[in-house]
Amino acid sequence: MVDEADHLLKTAQRTGNEQFNAARDKFETQLKRAKSELGELESTAVYNARRAARAADQTVHEHPYAAMGIAAGAALLIGMLIARR
């Protein structure tokens, strides 16, 4: 999309004012669409992250000792990796 916009601007620079306005309008439309799509992606990502956090929280509450064991194992592994340096 960025390449398309760059191409439009280069084309607009070479052509007349009328074509420049048409290219600018097309670019603005594409930019608005990209912003809209980015907003939708952001909303979806936030929703999925919150859903995953709730699921993790629920799992930890249902199995607290397993969660502590996994956390201790991960900490041990990280500590061993750091100590090797």
Side-chain angles (χ1 to χ4, degrees), residues 10-54:
K10 285 180 182 178
T11 302
Q13 288 174 352
R14 286 187 234 128
T15 60
N17 193 24
E18 182 179 306
Q19 290 179 341
F20 176 76
N21 288 336
R24 186 183 66 208
D25 291 342
K26 186 175 181 181
F27 176 71
E28 287 176 356
T29 302
Q30 287 179 343
L31 187 60
K32 286 178 185 177
R33 184 178 57 193
K35 284 182 180 181
S36 173
E37 289 176 7
L38 184 61
E40 290 174 15
L41 287 173
E42 181 182 11
S43 296
T44 301
V46 168
Y47 172 76
N48 287 336
R50 286 184 180 164
R51 201 169 121 200
R54 280 190 214 110

Side-chain angles (χ1 to χ4, degrees), residues 38-80:
L38 184 61
E40 290 174 15
L41 287 173
E42 181 182 11
S43 296
T44 301
V46 168
Y47 172 76
N48 287 336
R50 286 184 180 164
R51 201 169 121 200
R54 280 190 214 110
D57 185 53
Q58 182 179 357
T59 302
V60 168
H61 282 290
E62 289 174 359
H63 308 286
Y65 294 113
M68 288 188 321
I70 291 170
L76 179 66
L77 179 64
I78 291 170
M80 288 173 48

